[in-house]
Amino acid sequence: MIQLQVDFNLLNRFFGIPISRITQYANKDIEEIMELEAAQGNTKAAEYKKILSDPDKILEIFKLSNLENKFIILQNMSESDLDELLPYLDSEQLSRGLQFFTEEKLMEFCRELPIEELVVMIFEKFSMMDVLTLMPENSMNNFIMEPEVERKYAQSYFEQLEGKQLEKLMVQVYGASFKDKNRGEYLKHLEELDDNDFKAFMVGLEREEKMKMINGIVAQEPNLLLLFQTEDVARPMEMLMKEDKIKLMQKLDPEFLVPMVQELPVDLTQIVLTQIDPRDFADILAQDFQDILSSVVLFSNAR
């Protein structure tokens, strides 16, 4: 068992034990000290056990609005205890913990997000064309070849183009023999292609026109965005400064930020958790951590 010794400074801070009496308690445990103090008329000491189960008293006696006091209590908690507290922080508070990670690690976190969450976050800041501009062409081709990307979406896109725009696409894929035809001929040719040839036509477009087409496709059916690889969708994040990366990641729900913060060393997690609402902290301490409140005024040889 860990041998605990009295931390006189904390006894004075939390329970108002005068310095003049503190030296008398050097070899006594917390309960003995409180009994002796109660006999001396110290009302805080007399209510010691009630304090540990009453959130209002915990809030008052431990002055939990004080960050330093919260930090002292958090230092007495195990890693698993700290992990249990992280969900009590909101997204903005959790995102402050991301400041302790490198930019490379932040990008790793982004690539590990579910594609649904990543897409929502990215489009808070970037457009589809921003994403496509940085996307490798083979990734765009893989998207085009997905069965869910039905030809009807591309046909609808092509049908809203003017004749000269269609001519440009046709010449890109089929050569000069397709110059100077009318708009109806171009659309008829596309309609008569079988599915495989139609996909081949889409893949054969030059990069800029391919990007415009894909943008037009996902504008019709946004759920098709989920077919992209997370690495390709996350790429625009690399352009942002670290502070801007973190600001954008603030948009994530806490359930996705908590696992990130859990990768911090314990001492940094404790710092992040000093943001916890004092009332929430008092409720949690009263319910689940009365033993820690007992030891918070003690100094462990193991610390």
Side-chain angles (χ1 to χ4, degrees):
M1 179 178 293
I2 296 173
Q3 188 67 34
L4 298 176
Q5 296 177 341
V6 175
D7 183 326
F8 298 139
N9 289 330
L10 295 184
L11 283 175
N12 178 260
R13 177 184 299 181
F14 292 128
F15 290 95
I17 300 177
I19 299 295
S20 60
R21 290 205 295 271
I22 278 177
T23 54
Q24 302 173 24
Y25 303 141
N27 298 314
K28 301 186 183 301
D29 64 28
I30 188 69
E31 290 196 11
E32 289 177 308
I33 293 170
M34 294 305 171
E35 287 175 4
L36 290 170
E37 275 297 302
Q40 296 283 339
N42 185 330
T43 55
K44 290 181 179 178
E47 296 180 342
Y48 166 65
K49 291 190 176 179
K50 288 183 180 179
I51 287 171
L52 301 187
S53 58
D54 185 333
D56 290 328
K57 290 189 179 296
I58 290 172
L59 191 63
E60 177 189 357
I61 202 76
F62 288 93
K63 296 181 173 61
L64 294 183
S65 59
N66 182 294
L67 293 182
E68 186 180 355
N69 287 357
K70 279 195 280 190
F71 188 63
I72 288 168
I73 295 172
L74 291 165
Q75 284 182 304
N76 284 266
M77 293 186 171
S78 68
E79 185 173 358
S80 60
D81 291 335
L82 298 174
D83 286 346
E84 289 181 24
L85 295 182
L86 286 172
Y88 287 90
L89 301 183
D90 61 30
S91 292
E92 182 177 354
Q93 292 168 327
L94 288 165
S95 71
R96 288 174 187 155
L98 301 182
Q99 296 172 7
F100 297 116
F101 293 107
T102 64
E103 291 196 53
E104 290 75 15
K105 186 63 176 177
L106 294 179
M107 286 305 305
E108 181 182 321
F109 284 145
C110 290
R111 295 186 190 102
E112 291 173 351
L113 287 169
I115 187 65
E116 296 87 347
E117 299 301 321
L118 179 61
V119 163
V120 171
M121 182 183 75
I122 289 293
F123 287 105
E124 286 279 346
K125 176 77 174 179
F126 299 99
S127 69
M128 186 65 207
M129 289 301 287
D130 292 329
V131 173
L132 291 169
T133 297
L134 298 173
M135 187 177 294
E137 191 155 359
N138 69 305
S139 296
M140 288 191 275
N141 292 340
N142 290 339
F143 170 80
I144 290 169
M145 296 306 295
E146 290 282 356
E148 293 93 333
V149 182
E150 300 175 44
R151 66 183 293 168
K152 65 182 180 180
Y153 300 120
Q155 282 180 319
S156 178
Y157 168 75
F158 293 138
E159 285 168 3
Q160 55 87 36
L161 297 181
E162 296 178 356
K164 284 296 182 184
Q165 292 173 302
L166 285 168
E167 179 183 55
K168 183 179 180 180
L169 304 186
M170 292 295 187
V171 171
Q172 282 181 11
V173 178
Y174 299 120
S177 62
F178 272 74
K179 284 181 68 67
D180 300 325
K181 295 182 183 293
N182 63 51
R183 184 173 179 275
E185 289 178 293
Y186 292 137
L187 292 175
K188 185 173 186 296
H189 178 83
L190 291 174
E191 290 171 3
E192 291 176 350
L193 292 174
D194 64 29
D195 288 343
N196 290 335
D197 288 340
F198 190 86
K199 289 272 190 176
F201 172 78
M202 295 165 68
V203 169
L205 294 174
E206 292 181 2
R207 180 179 178 85
E208 184 178 352
E209 298 302 327
K210 189 179 297 183
M211 289 166 50
K212 292 177 182 177
M213 178 190 67
I214 293 174
N215 185 53
I217 289 172
V218 298
Q220 298 173 62
E221 183 49 73
N223 285 337
L224 294 176
L225 286 168
L226 306 184
L227 298 175
F228 287 108
Q229 297 297 308
T230 54
E231 181 177 357
D232 293 323
V233 176
R235 211 174 294 271
M237 287 284 288
E238 296 175 359
M239 301 168 59
L240 300 178
M241 299 292 287
K242 181 176 179 178
E243 181 181 342
D244 293 326
K245 284 184 174 70
I246 293 171
K247 189 178 296 185
L248 194 55
M249 293 172 76
Q250 252 180 43
K251 306 293 183 181
L252 295 169
D253 287 339
E255 68 177 292
F256 300 106
L257 290 168
V258 165
M260 299 177 190
V261 178
Q262 285 176 335
E263 293 197 26
L264 288 172
V266 168
D267 58 336
L268 295 181
T269 304
Q270 292 164 352
I271 292 173
V272 174
L273 279 167
T274 58
Q275 301 173 94
I276 192 169
D277 179 79
R279 167 53 63 182
D280 288 342
F281 199 30
D283 290 340
I284 296 162
L285 291 170
Q287 183 174 346
D288 297 320
F289 295 104
Q290 294 184 27
D291 57 333
I292 284 179
L293 288 177
S294 295
S295 68
V296 78
V297 292
L298 302 175
F299 181 81
S300 168
N301 289 336
R303 274 174 53 185

